Amino acid sequence: MKTEHENRISKNYVSVKKMWADFIENQPQFQQKGIPESFYFCDNLKDANECADLVVEGTKRATAPSLKWFKSNNIEFSKPGDLFIVTNWDGVAKAVIQIEKIECTPYNKITPKFAQIEGEGDQSLTYWKKVHKAYYCREQNIPETEFDENMMIVCEYFICIYPKK
C-alpha cells in the first residue's frame, strides 16, 4: 500500500512528463534517450524543496550520496552525460540536470570547494559536514557517535540544463 507521500509523487508525475516534453522540444538531440529517472534530494520536505530551488537558481551543482547508499539499494553509479529530472518533495518537476563527473572521496577528505559547489546552507565545509553527517546517520540508522569519518562519499557534479538561467 502506498503512503500519502508516494501517492502525491505518483499524482505529480505528469509534471515530470511535461517538463521532459518541454525540454526535448527545445533540445531535440536528447529525444532518443527517453524520459530520465526523476528524484528529489534529501529525506525531508524542507531540504528537498530547498535543494530543488538551489538547482534551478544554479547554486547547487553537486550532490553527495554515500557509497553505502548505492550498495544497499543496488544502484549503479551515474555516468557523465546521464540526465535526471529533479523534483520537489511532492514529485513536481523543477529541473533537468546532466552529470558532469563522479568522484569517490572519504567524508573526512571532502573539500571546502566541494561544499561550495554543492551549494547548501552557507556553502561552508563546516555546514556541509554538520548536515551531511546527520543525514548519513539517519540514512544508516546509526547514532552520530558511531559515524565513520572515513565513509566513502560519491561526489556527483552536475549542471542544470533546463530551465536555463
Side-chain angles (χ1 to χ4, degrees), residues 29-63:
Q29 70 271 27
F30 291 103
Q31 187 165 1
Q32 56 272 28
K33 289 191 180 253
I35 192 164
E37 180 182 342
S38 62
F39 69 92
Y40 54 84
F41 293 104
C42 304
D43 61 352
N44 63 78
L45 182 143
K46 178 188 173 294
D47 293 338
N49 291 350
E50 183 177 292
C51 285
D53 290 343
L54 290 171
V55 169
V56 173
E57 292 170 10
T59 304
K60 182 171 180 58
R61 297 173 288 127
T63 191

Side-chain angles (χ1 to χ4, degrees), residues 13 16-18 20-21 30-31 33-37 83 85:
Y13 189 71
V16 170
K17 292 190 284 189
K18 177 163 181 4
W20 183 249
F30 291 103
Q31 187 165 1
K33 289 191 180 253
I35 192 164
E37 180 182 342
L83 302 176
I85 297 177

Side-chain angles (χ1 to χ4, degrees), residues 42-44 46-47 50-51 60 64 107 115 118-139 144 147:
C42 304
D43 61 352
N44 63 78
K46 178 188 173 294
D47 293 338
E50 183 177 292
C51 285
K60 182 171 180 58
Y107 170 89
E118 193 170 12
E120 297 174 23
D122 66 4
Q123 301 177 18
S124 70
L125 182 59
T126 300
Y127 178 89
W128 188 95
K129 285 190 169 194
K130 177 185 170 196
V131 298
H132 284 78
K133 180 178 182 178
Y135 172 78
Y136 299 135
C137 288
R138 289 191 309 271
E139 171 189 82
E144 289 196 19
F147 182 74

Side-chain angles (χ1 to χ4, degrees), residues 91-145:
V92 175
K94 295 294 184 178
V96 178
I97 62 171
Q98 186 171 38
I99 302 297
E100 289 190 303
K101 72 178 179 176
I102 308 287
E103 296 176 338
C104 288
T105 305
Y107 170 89
N108 58 8
K109 302 279 192 218
I110 293 293
T111 64
K113 182 177 180 181
F114 180 79
Q116 189 264 330
I117 291 169
E118 193 170 12
E120 297 174 23
D122 66 4
Q123 301 177 18
S124 70
L125 182 59
T126 300
Y127 178 89
W128 188 95
K129 285 190 169 194
K130 177 185 170 196
V131 298
H132 284 78
K133 180 178 182 178
Y135 172 78
Y136 299 135
C137 288
R138 289 191 309 271
E139 171 189 82
Q140 296 169 35
N141 198 27
I142 60 170
E144 289 196 19
T145 55

